Amino acid sequence: MSTISVKRSPEILRIGNGAGYWGDNLDAPRRLAEVGRLDYLTLEYLAELTLSILAHLRSRDLEAGFVGDVPTVVESLIPALKSQAELKIVTNGGGMNPTACVRAVAKVLEAAGLGAVPIAAVAGDDLLPRLRDLQAAGETLENFDTGEPMTAEILGRLASANAYLGATGIVEALQRGARVVVTGRVADASLTVGPAVHEFGWTWNDWQRLAAASVAGHLIECGAQATGGMYSGWSSALSLDNLGYPLVEMSADGRFTLTKPTGTGGAVTFDTVSEQLVYEIRDPAHYLTPDVDADFSQVSLTETGPDRVLVQHARGNPAPPQLKVSMAYRDGYMAAGTLVVYGPDATVRARTCGDLILSRLRQAGIELARTKIECLGSGMVVPDAWHVPPGQPAQLGGSASTVTEVVLRVSAHDPSKAKLERFLREFAPLAGAGTPGVTGYTGPRPSPYPVFAYWPTTISRQHVQPTVEVHTASEWLKSSADGSVHA
Amino acid sequence: MNGWIRLGEVAHARSGDKGNHANIGVIAFTAAGYEYLQSALTAEMVAQHFAAWRPRGVDRFLLPGIQAMNFVLYDILAGGASRSLRTDTQGKVLAPSLLSLWLPEPPELAIMRK
């Protein structure tokens, strides 16, 4: 671990993102912080359904419900925090329980002699306890994807309901001196917008700059997807081993250069960055965040050096009056099992084995609500309707009839966990009571897991105010010990 | 294959999910390719390519700043990340699949390649 001695430029803010989702590479944040000369390290952990899983964990344990990677990663960052006085961390890994996450982080910091570090918990996104009041205030909570109205039945099964907070809570936390900011459901891009607003002193109606920082946040929020991960033009020359995670060098006018630490694998080029600009967006002229209605359609990317891309021409319009809310309701259980089937007619054999699993279950009196049989390797992951050019005779190469090994995957969804456990017992018998060529059945039997169905909605932003609490690591630990502050 | 090209010869792409919808961003390698794709790669063709997955509809949006187009495929994920029984719950392989789409070979192909 080398000490960073390079002086940071006051005109340029360096923000790097070391995690793109819960489960991302545990070493990436440390490696990025060690060599990135960062002012801010962001860690983005929340996908659409992560909060419902975290809510499920919290329902079993009041001190759970946050992303467990956070204290582990903070522990790995201790040397960087000690050697780089300017380094701050902003993460939404607090999930459903930011204060419990803060206490876990505080414990790690105090044990390392960093008990004086101020840590903020930013919350206010959890609407589950307030839904009746919000309905009484006129919020209909209808599903904005399907138009379905909220029902008492769905309401009774809700596991989580979280508004997307913008950057305001993060800015307040930073203004109050926090060095580590742990939030609940803050929008991914806002993790970058917050530090930029705080450092540059932008106002909350500076739509052009808020849009520019939102583009920066959008580009780095998925970690290595901006630096060569997932890139369509992959080749072995891309050196994904030691893949560098992204950072932006931002100016006060909002223009920024996306780059990665020198000496790392991957690539930052027009191609790798443009693919991430279009990742998981709808109308590029209206990328909506709680901070701004950002227009990506005119954004330009210019390669200015090796692994350096200048990003400019984002435009912004006033933030939408409605905030997005991610809700999830309990919807039974799912389970899936796999077998490998080999032979000259592997696809037919695999299909037969899949049918056997379901027919034997029916003989046992068990009908499952939804099932699916996939013969992976025979072209079923995605339909390949255009295998040959229009008007050409079908080729044999790659068609299902010539595939000699297939992964059979059978999956099911049902309200009953017990029925799914019984379903999973039907895979092993195929080893001896199925077609020839069945293998791949060793290892532990999978288990059914709970399903949380997604219900996106919107509410008026007037109903949502972030709450910000800032204490030193040592103070957070005291407050939990006497139970008076965070009971 | 005289007369036909794969989309991947003139563009690259990335796909992902938003609930039960998916999007595929297609970025042309060159300005000429972007111009060609605006007429050659329509929302209807993308819907037809994925007809077996029965999208409810497909919209196409343009990003002239990077010579790209974004296709949004509604209700194509059979329940999405939370409920889909498919292996590819989040539509990650839609982009590589679309890059295999056959298109009529444009006369100016040489200046559309990377």
Side-chain angles (χ1 to χ4, degrees), chain A residues 244-264:
Chain A
Y245 274 55
L247 64 97
V248 292
E249 300 171 349
M250 186 173 290
S251 321
D253 65 3
R255 277 187 300 177
F256 63 91
T257 293
L258 199 158
T259 185
K260 68 183 180 69
T262 50
T264 57

Side-chain angles (χ1 to χ4, degrees), chain A residues 368-387:
Chain A
L368 298 169
R370 299 165 65 218
T371 60
K372 183 167 189 65
I373 298 173
E374 292 176 296
C375 300
L376 305 173
S378 69
M380 274 193 73
V381 170
V382 58
D384 199 355
W386 295 50
H387 204 74

Side-chain angles (χ1 to χ4, degrees), chain A residues 88-139:
Chain A
K88 297 186 173 77
I89 299 169
V90 180
T91 179
N92 60 8
M96 288 301 300
N97 205 343
T99 53
C101 186
V102 165
R103 284 193 287 273
V105 168
K107 205 170 166 184
V108 167
L109 290 178
E110 188 173 68
L114 292 172
V117 167
I119 313 173
V122 177
D125 57 309
D126 184 1
L127 303 182
L128 199 58
R130 299 172 50 202
L131 286 181
R132 306 268 174 199
D133 292 343
L134 291 169
Q135 284 185 307
E139 297 290 350

Side-chain angles (χ1 to χ4, degrees), chain A residues 232 271 275-276 279 331, chain B residues 12-14 70 83 92 114:
Chain A
S232 297
D271 288 354
E275 279 191 23
Q276 192 55 20
Y279 182 68
D331 189 23
Chain B
H12 57 119
R14 182 168 292 186
N70 185 42
R83 299 179 81 248
K92 299 289 190 198
K114 195 168 166 54

